[in-house]
Amino acid sequence: MAAFSLRCVIVALFLVQCYGDGDRNGNFSEVMQFVVNSSSNIRIHFHPGHVKNLFKIIAWSTDATSKDPVHLVAEQQRNILSWTVPLILANSFKNTDTVYANTSRIFCDNEVDHLGWGKNFTVTLSTASPTNVTLYLLVKKDGNFNITSGNQYSLSVSPSQTDYFFYRFSHNFTLTTVIEINSTSDACLSASIQNNQCPVFDLGVARSVHQTITNKGGMRILRSNYGEGFSLVLSAKINDSDCIKKYNPFDKRVFGEDNRTFHVTFVVTEIADNRTSATFFVLGMVVLACLVAVFIVFVFHLCGQAAERSRSDDNESLIPREQESVPEEQSIEDSPGLLSQHQQSTSGGQPEVQEESASHQSATEEGQPEESASQQSANEDSVGANEWTLPDELMVSDLAQNLQDSREKSFGFVWNLLLVVIFYGIPVTQLVWTYQKIADKTGDEDMCYYNYLCANPFWIFGDFNHIFSNVGYVLMGALFLCMVAHWKSKYQALPTGVPRHYGVFNAMGLALIGEGVLSACYHVCPSQFSFQFDVTFMYVMVVLCMVQLYKNRHSDVSLSHNLAFILLGLYILLATVGLLTEEVAVVAVFMTINTLVCIFLSLKAYFLGPVWDNLGNLTSQLRNRQHPVSHLLKPRRKARFICVGTAIAINIILSACGCHFFIEGAIDFGTFILIQLMGNAFLQTLIYFIFKTCIYCEGVSLQNVFYLLLSIILWISGAYVYFHPRAQWKESPAISRERNQQCLQFLNFYDVHDLWHLLSAGALYSTFMFLLTFDDNVAYKERTKIFVF
């Protein structure tokens, strides 16, 4: 009996030691109140039971001070977590400390026993305060954090209070899950997606897929990367530096308020797997568009043949019987019947041959200041002549003396472009591939500027839809190369019509393919450092269009391929510097260089030859005073002078407007340069069209009008969607996400930027076809009767 009593005393003493005044049993989902001071520590014991070991510990106090805070230590067999109430967080940017009385932490451990029961854990409260401090404690179990698809959830977050949620995939084998997060404040918060395992990184530790958010955020989760589900952790940042300065140190926005508690809502949606159907649908649509384009060319070809047969039948009675057969070696100029047929196939309004010849001769005589036209032509080559030695009204034949040589040189554009594609494309591919690997390894979704609400991941690509939609550029470029080959076989051998330089046209088709490849590379990981890859070949195509348009009627005096690519390299260099620095001084340098280049090319277009020789000639005559100054300065080619003067003035206006919008932040430097180049291309095309149709009344073919209208429709449609972007690399990643939008309802796989890719591919193709068919209606007209403008 004595032995039994002794044993009872020992057990009682042990229990008193283990569960004295400082030990408590904790209850889940119940607010518990504790009073603690420097002389007493409190240990609260929790018994999870048969549940997963995941808990949210919420602690707050109204009388704890930052000088003597309450220390909380949550400990388990293999896990420990500690923090203080109030929580003191240092705002490194503002050099101040922020005190939070309300705190919460996620506590978990993977340890369970053989029956699946969770390990017990203990929360210890202690303080150095000599006075009593009241602290409130609330511990939530794992079951409180489960969320389901389609439901909207609301919460309040702050830097001291993180929130955790668990989403379990449904059993319909959905491949993709979309999370859309909205906040009522501009303050910066962080969202991370983690595997359903411990520990939970709720303090911004970069060991999960994470991103920064201001007003809006979105994440796309590929089911294959997670097991039965994933964890969503939301936490607020102590300041806005991560949302404003991260990956964009040039952002000039001010930071938010000190109040860092704000309301957040989010919804999780599962997306049905339509990747295969959406991919093949767009591919089929692009292939169908190519087939329709081929059919359109075939229809116009048949209509042209029918029209030629009709004109031939009408003229048959006018052709003498003995002239019906023309020898093979006889040229088209030697055949009156064919010449008449070809002249009638062109639009009306041309002066008679005798009148044109007389005008040509009189203009030649009038344009010679000292010598006759015959003497001057004997002394100087017509290609290198200046304003004072060339007639006022030039014919295409005057500037097509070295036609074979200029045609061969035009293929230099193809070889130069191939070198650009190779030596530019290889480092681009290497760079974006490295970016993608780093983004995947770190889980940092702030590296790439996706529309995360419509960025469909596939294989190693985080944004497969924006990569694949560039297929339109590649197929349309290949189709245009085929069209160039067809036009070459049709018109190359003709000694009539405007000389065609198919090397430039081939370079245009190759550049369209290059745009598709480089744009796809850019969309592997779009950012401000890779944006240049997306626009480089846009610069190339615009310049090639201008070169081709000028070569049409200036075969021997047009810009060489080497000089053209040197100018392109200069523009790309300026674009790179402007994108990296965002300095107004770079814009000023670009405006100066662009204006000088514009003046030089305008003078070259006006003089139709070497600029410095013509200016030297003019200076010499002004010095010698052989003619009155007013006579020397009076432009001999008034229409051409008006055009080049207008071009210079419009370039200055475009530069001034672009500089204004750049300073205001409405456009970036790369877009500024692209608008400048496109404005010049449009102006040159408009001038060419006015001269062709209004001044010299050549008219255009029906096929050319069709491509003109089609390109206008596609460009307007493309511009509409282009100026409604779903991401903006010029901003910080978090601010860029404010533009993110869900996919289009149609197919639920592509967004408006994918539409821009498809529409602009069609617009570029139709524009190239418009340039290719611009002078088809004068293809059978003698070059001595086609004016230069």
Side-chain angles (χ1 to χ4, degrees), residues 218-233:
M219 309 181 84
R220 287 221 159 195
I221 310 302
L222 200 60
R223 181 171 184 168
S224 59
N225 294 336
Y226 300 90
E228 58 180 3
F230 60 84
S231 302
L232 170 65
V233 179

Side-chain angles (χ1 to χ4, degrees), residues 157 179-191 211-218 234 240 243-244 253-254 256 260 262-267 453 731-741:
V157 294
I179 306 173
E180 183 172 359
I181 305 169
N182 293 280
S183 173
T184 57
S185 173
D186 290 332
C188 183
L189 63 90
S190 173
Q211 63 178 221
T212 55
I213 299 171
T214 53
N215 292 119
K216 189 176 188 177
L234 298 172
D240 294 330
C243 285
I244 295 180
R253 292 200 184 190
V254 297
R260 312 299 297 178
F262 43 93
H263 185 68
V264 176
T265 61
F266 70 91
V267 61
L453 293 177
E731 305 285 357
S732 66
I735 297 173
S736 172
R737 284 190 194 93
E738 296 176 6
R739 299 172 179 264
N740 287 180
Q741 297 290 335

Side-chain angles (χ1 to χ4, degrees), residues 228-419:
E228 58 180 3
F230 60 84
S231 302
L232 170 65
V233 179
L234 298 172
S235 60
K237 298 289 186 177
I238 186 62
N239 58 50
D240 294 330
S241 60
D242 284 348
C243 285
I244 295 180
K245 295 293 184 181
K246 189 176 183 182
Y247 297 117
N248 193 357
F250 309 109
D251 200 301
K252 301 178 178 61
R253 292 200 184 190
V254 297
F255 292 136
E257 303 174 354
D258 291 333
N259 181 16
R260 312 299 297 178
T261 303
F262 43 93
H263 185 68
V264 176
T265 61
F266 70 91
V267 61
V268 180
T269 308
E270 291 191 354
I271 305 298
D273 178 25
N274 59 344
R275 181 176 55 211
T276 303
S277 59
T279 299
F280 281 100
F281 178 84
V282 167
L283 181 62
M285 291 296 294
V286 175
V287 172
L288 180 61
C290 293
L291 294 177
V292 170
V294 173
F295 177 75
I296 290 171
V297 171
F298 179 71
V299 169
F300 278 113
H301 176 71
L302 292 181
C303 293
Q305 283 187 335
E308 289 180 4
R309 283 197 299 267
S310 176
R311 287 193 295 267
S312 178
D313 293 340
D314 293 340
N315 295 334
E316 186 174 358
S317 59
L318 301 178
I319 302 176
R321 180 66 59 181
E322 61 273 11
Q323 295 183 4
E324 287 185 1
S325 60
V326 182
E328 292 182 4
E329 66 274 7
Q330 187 175 6
S331 65
I332 192 169
E333 292 89 345
D334 297 332
S335 176
L338 292 177
L339 179 59
S340 175
Q341 173 184 340
H342 296 154
Q343 289 176 345
Q344 292 184 19
S345 66
T346 59
S347 58
Q350 292 295 334
E352 296 294 335
V353 178
Q354 295 81 358
E355 293 178 1
E356 289 182 349
S357 302
S359 174
H360 191 175
Q361 182 178 359
S362 62
T364 305
E365 294 173 353
E366 183 182 354
Q368 305 295 335
E370 294 291 337
E371 304 177 64
S372 65
S374 60
Q375 290 174 333
Q376 197 68 287
S377 61
N379 295 331
E380 296 185 20
D381 182 35
S382 61
V383 176
N386 53 47
E387 181 195 9
W388 307 96
T389 59
L390 286 175
D392 293 340
E393 291 292 347
L394 285 171
M395 300 299 165
V396 167
S397 58
D398 296 328
L399 299 181
Q401 303 297 320
N402 301 314
L403 187 57
Q404 184 63 30
D405 182 57
S406 62
R407 281 175 173 170
E408 292 177 357
K409 288 182 178 179
S410 71
F411 282 91
F413 285 92
V414 177
W415 300 119
N416 280 9
L417 189 59
L418 281 174
L419 291 176

